[in-house]
């Protein structure tokens, strides 16, 4: 069947680690047709259906020139077996508008993964609010005085923007409070933007664990992203070292609890970030780490995902 991947430009992919590429490779192995476009190529006009100007792509096996593409072809999203939304954050206005286009495509019969409404309803920093039993002490506010009070209570805190990714814009402020005012002003932009503040979790030295949940089922291995040197961030994009580990019993409990709640909402793929036993983020836009886990453990995460994708397509046709 035809699968459409809505993603960042293909020329930007680092295929040795890219999760979307791993999905494509497994889907192609099973004989599915691969199509690709960017969000800017999706449109709607009254009297018609939501359409993407997409290109059919063929994987070449050449790491330097990894795909061959056909010509631009306008196709209704509902004519694909599934539409896999893999655009990276930030979740900005254009991403928000894209979810509305995708939701209209769903009304027209398209199978969108992850579902458009759930992408919109579960912003990656704020989705943790539904699971307070699993998160560290957390404040979401634009109020500088509220942030100061939170710091006074907890002493050692992490501040981060709500729309960041890859560790961008994350700050730690210790008990001395050094630069708290300046950091707050930078992140909340003089009180005009909301910030997330969390108590520092010292277990970060053992890694910020990425736990993948596919169709409600946790992947049996995690990728612990371990900060290097004096860095506090474990994100791979910030220089963290990724070490695959078996899924611990407590992490399985947390992932199973969250997966059981979120998977029925159309979130086929979820990436939890857990430090120690505290959930810090719930990633639903384009969770990664498929290839790092497979390369280190042999477990084929992409195979598990495409199995689930095919089941979701089957359910959508009932």
């Amino acid at each position: 069947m035809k699968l459409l991947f809505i993603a960042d430009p293909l020329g930007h992919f680092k295929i040795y680690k890219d999760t979307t590429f791993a999905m494509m490779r497994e889907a192609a192995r099973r004989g599915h047709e691969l199509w690709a476009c960017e969000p800017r190529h999706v449109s709607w006009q009254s009297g018609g259906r939501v359409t993407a100007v997409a290109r059919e792509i063929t994987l070449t096996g050449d790491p330097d020139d990894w795909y061959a593409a056909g010509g631009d072809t306008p196709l209704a999203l509902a004519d694909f077996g599934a539409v896999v939304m893999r655009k990276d954050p930030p979740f900005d206005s254009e991403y928000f508008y894209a979810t509305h286009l995708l939701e209209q495509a769903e009304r027209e019969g398209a199978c969108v993964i992850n579902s458009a409404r759930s992408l919109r309803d579960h912003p990656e920093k704020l989705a943790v609010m539904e699971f307070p039993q699993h998160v560290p002490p957390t404040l979401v506010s634009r109020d500088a005085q509220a942030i100061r009070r939170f710091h006074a209570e907890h002493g050692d805190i992490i501040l981060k923007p709500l729309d960041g990714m890859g560790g961008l814009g994350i700050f730690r402020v210790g008990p001395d409070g050094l630069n708290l005012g300046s950091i707050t002003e930078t992140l909340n932009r003089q009180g005009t933007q909301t910030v997330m503040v969390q108590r520092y979790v010292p277990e970060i030295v053992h890694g910020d664990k990425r736990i993948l949940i596919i169709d409600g089922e946790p992947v049996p291995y995690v990728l612990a992203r371990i900060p290097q040197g004096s860095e506090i961030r474990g994100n791979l994009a910030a220089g963290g070292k990724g070490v695959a580990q078996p899924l611990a019993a407590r992490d399985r409990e947390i992932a199973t609890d969250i997966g059981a709640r979120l998977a029925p909402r159309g979130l086929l793929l979820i990436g939890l970030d857990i430090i120690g036993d505290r959930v810090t983020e719930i990633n639903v836009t384009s969770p990664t780490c498929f290839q790092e886990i497979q390369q280190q453990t042999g477990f084929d995460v992409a195979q598990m995902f495409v199995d689930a994708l095919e089941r979701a397509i089957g359910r959508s046709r009932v």
Side-chain angles (χ1 to χ4, degrees):
M1 70 184 71
K2 294 193 296 187
L3 303 178
L4 175 63
F5 289 84
I6 302 178
D8 291 298
L10 300 183
H12 295 176
F13 281 30
K14 297 180 174 65
I15 66 168
Y16 66 91
K17 68 174 185 176
D18 192 279
T19 288
T20 305
F21 171 76
M23 294 174 175
M24 290 177 168
R25 182 174 57 193
E26 176 59 21
R29 188 187 68 80
R30 301 185 188 203
H32 297 303
E33 285 184 27
L34 305 180
W35 292 72
C37 73
E38 299 170 37
R40 64 190 177 93
H41 297 129
V42 179
S43 63
W44 174 84
Q45 184 171 338
S46 58
R49 295 185 293 173
V50 176
T51 299
V53 177
R55 292 183 171 188
E56 185 176 5
I57 64 170
T58 303
L59 306 187
T60 65
D62 181 348
D64 296 320
D65 190 15
W66 65 271
Y67 72 95
D72 291 344
T73 306
L75 293 168
L77 270 58
D79 289 341
F80 290 93
V83 176
V84 184
M85 178 57 161
R86 291 289 300 173
K87 173 69 178 70
D88 282 342
F91 196 110
D92 55 13
S93 295
E94 285 301 321
Y95 197 111
F96 180 78
Y97 304 146
T99 67
H100 284 285
L101 287 166
L102 292 173
E103 189 169 16
Q104 175 60 25
E106 288 174 324
R107 287 189 285 267
E108 297 165 1
C111 175
V112 179
I113 304 299
N114 283 322
S115 82
R117 180 179 292 274
S118 286
L119 285 174
R120 194 166 61 247
D121 288 351
H122 298 83
E124 304 192 331
K125 303 291 192 298
L126 298 180
V128 300
M129 294 190 296
E130 189 174 349
F131 304 96
Q133 70 275 27
H134 296 313
V135 305
T138 299
L139 169 70
V140 178
S141 177
R142 65 174 71 177
D143 186 328
Q145 291 307 311
I147 293 171
R148 285 196 176 277
R149 289 193 295 270
F150 187 87
H151 175 263
E153 179 181 358
H154 296 288
D156 200 347
I157 63 172
I158 295 290
L159 303 93
K160 50 189 171 182
L162 294 182
D163 61 353
M165 64 169 289
L168 185 66
I170 293 179
F171 294 89
R172 178 184 178 185
V173 176
D176 60 8
L178 190 64
N179 284 331
L180 177 59
S182 178
I183 291 168
T184 299
E185 291 167 6
T186 298
L187 293 178
N188 80 348
R189 299 192 179 182
Q190 301 293 330
T192 63
Q193 290 198 0
T194 304
V195 178
M196 172 170 276
V197 192
Q198 294 178 318
R199 186 178 68 190
Y200 175 72
V201 182
E203 288 87 348
I204 183 62
V205 297
H206 303 300
D208 179 355
K209 294 170 287 188
R210 165 55 56 84
I211 298 177
L212 295 165
I213 305 171
I214 297 175
D215 203 13
E217 177 67 24
V219 170
Y221 294 91
V222 310
L223 192 75
R225 298 160 299 176
I226 302 171
Q228 300 297 293
S230 60
E231 183 59 72
I232 63 166
R233 300 170 297 173
N235 309 74
L236 300 183
K241 179 182 179 182
V243 178
Q245 302 171 351
L247 181 66
R250 176 56 182 153
D251 290 339
R252 176 176 287 278
E253 290 176 5
I254 295 170
T256 300
D257 180 33
I258 293 175
R261 189 92 61 90
L262 298 186
R265 301 176 189 172
L267 291 172
L268 192 75
L269 175 60
I270 300 164
L272 298 185
D273 290 346
I274 295 184
I275 303 174
D277 64 352
R278 300 288 94 186
V279 177
T280 58
E281 292 186 20
I282 300 176
N283 298 274
V284 301
T285 52
S286 58
T288 61
C289 300
F290 280 28
Q291 294 210 64
E292 292 88 347
I293 290 173
Q294 182 180 8
Q295 290 160 4
Q296 295 185 40
T297 70
F299 183 85
D300 195 333
V301 187
Q303 184 178 77
M304 182 176 174
F305 173 77
V306 178
D307 284 344
L309 177 63
E310 291 173 341
R311 289 195 302 270
I313 294 169
R315 291 194 296 265
S316 73
R317 293 177 171 177
V318 175

